[in-house]
């Protein structure tokens, strides 16, 4: 079973956490397994801090639920996030809650990218880093769009599909629908369209998404489509602090991984923060 966009209804919110998501493989099997498991849970936020010249990034992993916008507000109160980057690894979730989260991301002037944040491992002598082998699906794509600047590594997977009722996505053709159901779908498509244009996205993004019904595979956006839809505005991403030497060394991700400090041999570290249920 795969996650679908969900319309906002009280009786649906509990269902969002019950999806089984697509898995993926990376070279770091233990860390990859942890990341895949995290993607099955409600979205959590953590701060990855790298010193001395790197300002770090925000790791956002999991499904957007009704609690996610409030959890992000709680996270904001613990960190000064102005101008930082959100690293997304998510299969989507609630339409209206993702829109609310996306507007908050834009309001803070944050950048967005797709990746799996992997913590440092003293046992294996590895630094904290961002692996580009990650997924941004469904409503995550619109969180990506919320960034003031946006970059998608070549090995990241960005995939889209239609809005659908969460409890009927597995048997969409055989399910029954009421007039109220159709009204809710139409309403949320309208809200999503307004959000898309407010964020600078193109109508192509909506057209590509709304042409993919729940009984076919998600559509993976090509590099050309990522640019045509305005989902990708940059050719690189940097976690450098202003006026640091890293400003002249933007992070290129044609290679297997993004390393915030690989060229300087610095040691990023993950700052522990309490989990958000």
């Amino acid at each position: 079973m795969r996650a679908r966009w969900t319309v906002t209804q009280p009786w649906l919110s509990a269902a969002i956490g019950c999806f089984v998501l697509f898995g993926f493989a990376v070279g770091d099997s233990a860390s990859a397994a942890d990341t895949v498991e995290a993607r099955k849970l409600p979205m959590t936020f953590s701060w990855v801090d790298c010193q001395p010249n790197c300002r770090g990034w925000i790791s956002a992993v999991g499904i957007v639920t009704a609690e996610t916008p409030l959890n992000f507000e709680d996270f904001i109160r613990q960190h000064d996030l102005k101008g930082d980057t959100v690293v997304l690894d998510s299969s989507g979730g609630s339409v209206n809650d993702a829109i609310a989260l996306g507007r908050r991301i834009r309001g803070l002037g944050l950048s967005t990218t797709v990746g799996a944040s992997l913590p440092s491992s003293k046992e294996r002598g590895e630094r904290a880093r961002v692996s580009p082998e990650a997924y941004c699906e469904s409503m995550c794509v619109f969180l990506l769009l919320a960034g003031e600047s946006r970059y998608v590594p070549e090995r990241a997977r960005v995939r889209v599909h239609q809005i659908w009722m969460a409890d009927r996505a597995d048997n969409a053709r055989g399910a029954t629908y009421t007039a109220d159901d159709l009204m809710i779908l139409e309403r949320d498509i309208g809200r999503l369209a307004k959000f898309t244009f407010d964020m600078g996205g193109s109508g192509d993004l909506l057209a590509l998404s709304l042409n993919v019904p729940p009984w076919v595979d998600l559509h993976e956006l090509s590099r050309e489509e990522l640019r045509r839809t305005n989902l990708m505005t940059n050719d690189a991403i940097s976690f450098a602090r202003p006026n640091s030497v890293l400003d002249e060394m933007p992070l290129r991700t044609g290679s297997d991984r993004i390393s915030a400090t690989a060229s300087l041999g610095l040691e990023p570290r993950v700052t522990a923060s309490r989990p958000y249920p």
Side-chain angles (χ1 to χ4, degrees), residues 77-260:
R77 286 191 286 272
Q78 301 178 45
H79 304 278
D80 180 11
L81 303 180
K82 294 287 186 180
D84 288 312
T85 298
V86 181
V87 178
L88 295 160
D89 188 16
S90 168
S91 63
S94 165
V95 172
N96 291 308
D97 295 304
I99 288 173
L101 177 60
R103 291 195 182 280
R104 195 69 173 103
I105 288 171
R106 176 60 64 89
L108 290 168
L110 303 177
S111 298
T112 52
T113 189
V114 181
S117 295
L118 304 178
S120 60
S121 171
K122 291 183 179 179
E123 293 79 8
R124 292 180 292 186
E126 295 175 344
R127 301 184 181 96
R129 61 197 179 279
V130 179
S131 166
E133 298 211 32
Y135 285 80
C136 185
E137 300 173 330
S138 188
M139 282 307 298
C140 174
V141 176
F142 294 87
L143 295 180
L144 175 64
L145 182 64
E148 281 201 348
S149 61
R150 309 176 282 278
Y151 176 67
V152 179
E154 289 187 10
R155 296 180 65 179
R157 312 286 291 276
V158 178
R159 309 201 291 187
V160 295
H161 61 173
Q162 290 178 349
I163 281 180
W164 212 265
M165 297 288 180
D167 62 337
R168 277 159 279 187
D170 287 338
N171 186 26
R173 284 173 159 166
T176 58
Y177 303 89
T178 67
D180 284 342
D181 292 334
L182 297 179
M183 178 275 295
I184 291 167
L185 286 170
E186 295 278 358
R187 178 202 68 189
D188 286 354
I189 289 172
R191 290 175 176 173
L192 190 63
K194 184 179 189 314
F195 175 83
T196 299
F197 297 128
D198 286 350
M199 297 297 108
S202 74
D204 287 334
L205 177 56
L206 292 169
L208 287 165
S209 302
L210 298 176
N211 273 299
V212 183
W215 49 85
V216 302
D217 290 338
L218 282 73
H219 172 70
E220 183 169 340
L221 299 178
S222 66
R223 304 299 288 180
E224 188 277 330
E225 287 171 333
L226 287 169
R227 293 195 179 277
R228 177 156 51 88
T229 57
N230 290 335
L231 278 169
M232 187 164 70
T233 61
N234 287 11
D235 291 324
I237 189 167
S238 174
F239 301 114
R241 293 187 186 279
N243 303 318
S244 75
V245 65
L246 283 174
D247 285 342
E248 300 177 1
M249 305 172 64
L251 302 179
R252 306 281 174 182
T253 55
S255 59
D256 287 355
R257 294 171 182 158
I258 307 171
S259 175

Side-chain angles (χ1 to χ4, degrees), residues 34-82:
D34 293 341
T35 302
V36 171
E37 288 303 311
R39 293 182 68 244
K40 300 177 183 180
L41 302 173
M43 182 169 280
T44 59
F45 304 98
S46 59
W47 176 255
V48 181
D49 187 21
C50 46
Q51 299 290 343
N53 293 319
C54 179
R55 62 185 170 206
W57 60 87
I58 305 148
S59 174
V61 183
I63 301 168
V64 177
T65 69
E67 291 75 29
T68 303
L70 290 177
N71 291 341
F72 190 58
E73 292 299 324
D74 194 4
F75 180 77
I76 288 170
R77 286 191 286 272
Q78 301 178 45
H79 304 278
D80 180 11
L81 303 180
K82 294 287 186 180

